[in-house]
DNA sequence: CTATTATTCAACTATTTGGTTGAATAAAGT
DNA sequence: ACTTTATTCAACCAAATAGTTGAATAATAG
């Protein structure tokens, strides 16, 4: 579980990989097509895709000589849940929650207890 | 912005650092107290705290010879927003959304277009 | 002033990461 | 069969990461 979160967060820590995920939001893609917009070798993209796959952020399925990549929501969901549970952020009221935290920050100076 | 997300996610990718954040959820702590439960040198924890601080996940404030660490919600909020915008996850309806995605998975096989 | 406590710095090490290139494999197309 | 297309493998490299230890700095206590 902790190990899985390690993989998910470190996969998300790379901007190329986040871009890939965004691209896959549009549609499933072959490895070559994923690589196309990047100024980077195909092998490098292939490695990024393996990292994403190991983290459970994408699924890869070979069809003939093409390997299709598609989003897998499982991992992103796990990350989402972790962050959500962290500090009981209320996603429906982020703005007001933010205000609350701003107030907290002012009131709850370190050492004030 | 992208750079900030890099820092936030890679800070969250380490289990020691996630543990530290969880500890700080309880209360603000001095560096030495943060280090106490870990089987690791103080210097190592100090470095982890600097990583968390650089990512904007915590704030550190020196009071006398003690440096207090407290959560900063700014960064976790940014990560939350990124993930939330990703795939338009509706946090209030995660279960039904999950079901939706399961259905999508079955219908939207790669190469089905 | 001296000792103690809290924290960081500096130097070093091992491992991981993100990239490269060229060769290898796999599946079609002709 | 031969060629092209899609992807990965293997070997390599530079930089970053996570840890160590011992010395240095900073502030408080006696």
């Amino acid at each position: 579980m902790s190990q899985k979160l390690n993989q998910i967060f470190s996969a998300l820590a790379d901007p190329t990989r986040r871009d890939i995920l965004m691209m896959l939001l549009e549609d499933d893609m072959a490895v070559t097509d994923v690589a196309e917009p990047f100024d980077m070798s195909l092998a490098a993209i292939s490695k990024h895709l393996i990292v994403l796959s190991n983290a459970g952020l994408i699924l890869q399925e070979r069809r003939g000589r093409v390997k299709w990549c598609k989003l897998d929501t499982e991992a992103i969901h796990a990350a989402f849940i972790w962050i959500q549970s962290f500090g009981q952020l209320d996603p429906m009221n982020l703005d007001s929650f933010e205000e609350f935290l701003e107030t907290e920050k002012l009131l709850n100076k370190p050492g004030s207890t």
Side-chain angles (χ1 to χ4, degrees), chain A:
Chain A
M1 180 63 198
S2 173
Q3 168 61 18
K4 199 69 196 175
L5 280 174
N6 298 356
Q7 287 182 280
I8 295 168
F9 283 125
S10 76
L12 293 177
D14 184 278
T16 302
R17 288 192 291 260
R18 286 198 307 275
D19 285 346
I20 291 173
L21 291 176
M22 287 301 182
M23 289 164 59
L24 292 176
L25 210 47
E26 302 281 318
D27 210 349
D28 303 343
M29 295 177 87
V31 174
T32 309
D33 297 330
V34 170
E36 196 269 327
F38 295 98
D39 188 20
M40 192 182 299
S41 72
L42 200 51
I45 295 295
S46 177
K47 282 189 191 177
H48 279 305
L49 289 169
I50 288 165
V51 171
L52 288 170
S53 181
N54 288 339
L57 286 159
I58 66 166
L59 293 166
Q60 293 187 287
E61 182 186 347
R62 187 148 213 145
R63 289 219 168 190
R65 62 183 164 181
V66 174
K67 196 170 196 177
W68 291 92
C69 307
K70 67 178 304 180
L71 285 180
D72 185 355
T73 54
E74 186 201 330
I76 199 84
H77 186 246
F80 188 79
I81 291 300
W82 187 88
I83 291 186
Q84 194 175 23
S85 74
F86 184 89
Q88 299 85 44
L89 287 168
D90 181 358
M92 297 309 277
N93 293 297
L94 278 174
D95 289 340
S96 56
F97 189 65
E98 248 180 319
E99 281 169 24
F100 165 69
L101 289 167
E102 279 306 310
T103 316
E104 279 278 279
K105 246 183 236 177
L106 296 174
L107 296 178
N108 190 29
K109 286 267 179 240
S112 69
T113 49

